Amino acid sequence: QIFRDAGVSASTAGVLLAVTMVMGVPLSFVLPALAGRMRHQGPLAVALGVFGLVGYAGLWAAPAAAPWVWALLLGVSAVNHWCGVRIHASEDPRTRRNWLFTSVAASLGTLAYFKYTGFFLENLDVLTQRLFGVPVPVVSVLLPAGVSFYTFKTMSYTIDIYRRELAPSRSLMHYSTYVTFFPELIAGPIVRASVFLPQMDREIGPT
């Protein structure tokens, strides 16, 4: 359904789903076994981050998508990462709140625009036509894939830093892996940054 919503034909969507299943099912067994043999998850985090970004960038090829869909993900992620750095660097409560407000406003503003602009304009059009007989142009806004998940995930990152439960990630790749982690990006649940990111630096062994 994700492929169909992006404007891909039914036949092409079926082929893409088959390819995803053929590649995904074996990897779901191989990757956990591989992770259990690694002393550090750094290379695996890099691979997951790259796959997440490349997979999302693949929406460029969708008829209903455009380069700005991928740029939006990077923009929201960058703004929240910078806000997290500024929150952590300050001890002034007011400054910390201001940066947190900037983070939340950027994330929720993005989400509200893409999810509710059409709904708001449609209702405004009905209201103005009934009251004044004047129509309001209704704009159809494309809903980017995963926008609800990555906006709340990036907010979780800055909120956890504000609560002093997490320090800013020293690795942009680890941060990118958290934001673009594909199983969560399309279906949830949203895992807090303070739960996900520390696992990127943890030494692991066979279980």
Side-chain angles (χ1 to χ4, degrees):
Q1 188 59 44
I2 294 174
F3 296 125
R4 295 302 308 280
D5 291 343
V8 177
S9 67
S11 58
T12 304
V15 172
L16 292 174
L17 177 61
V19 171
T20 301
M21 295 298 292
V22 168
M23 295 178 61
V25 173
L27 285 175
S28 66
F29 292 96
V30 172
L31 289 180
L34 180 62
R37 297 171 182 269
M38 299 170 63
R39 292 187 57 83
H40 196 276
Q41 295 191 75
L44 188 58
V46 171
L48 291 173
V50 169
F51 289 155
L53 290 171
V54 170
Y56 205 84
L59 291 177
W60 279 5
W68 62 263
V69 176
W70 194 55
L72 180 67
L73 169 65
L74 296 181
V76 171
S77 301
V79 168
N80 282 276
H81 187 272
W82 176 249
C83 288
V85 170
R86 301 314 305 166
I87 291 171
H88 185 72
S90 177
E91 293 297 332
D92 178 56
R94 183 176 180 180
T95 300
R96 290 168 57 83
R97 284 195 300 270
N98 287 341
W99 282 111
L100 179 64
F101 175 80
T102 301
S103 167
V104 173
S107 296
L108 291 184
T110 299
L111 183 62
Y113 173 77
F114 285 100
K115 292 203 72 170
Y116 302 113
T117 295
F119 173 78
F120 174 77
L121 291 177
E122 287 175 3
N123 284 275
L124 182 62
D125 177 55
V126 172
L127 180 64
T128 56
Q129 289 203 52
R130 287 183 177 179
L131 295 179
F132 311 109
V134 179
V136 172
V138 177
V139 179
S140 179
V141 179
L142 174 67
L143 183 64
V147 64
S148 298
F149 291 105
Y150 67 69
T151 50
F152 281 108
K153 289 178 73 174
T154 51
M155 276 198 302
S156 166
Y157 176 77
T158 52
I159 291 171
D160 283 346
I161 293 175
Y162 179 79
R163 292 176 174 173
R164 304 184 190 277
E165 297 177 3
L166 180 73
S169 177
R170 294 174 295 176
S171 168
L172 288 177
M173 185 54 67
H174 288 182
Y175 175 71
S176 299
T177 302
Y178 166 67
V179 175
T180 63
F181 193 56
F182 203 73
E184 294 176 12
L185 194 61
I186 60 174
I190 298 172
V191 177
R192 291 177 55 185
S194 58
V195 173
F196 188 98
L197 282 170
Q199 298 180 57
M200 296 287 97
D201 296 316
R202 185 188 308 164
E203 290 191 359
I204 57 176
T207 57

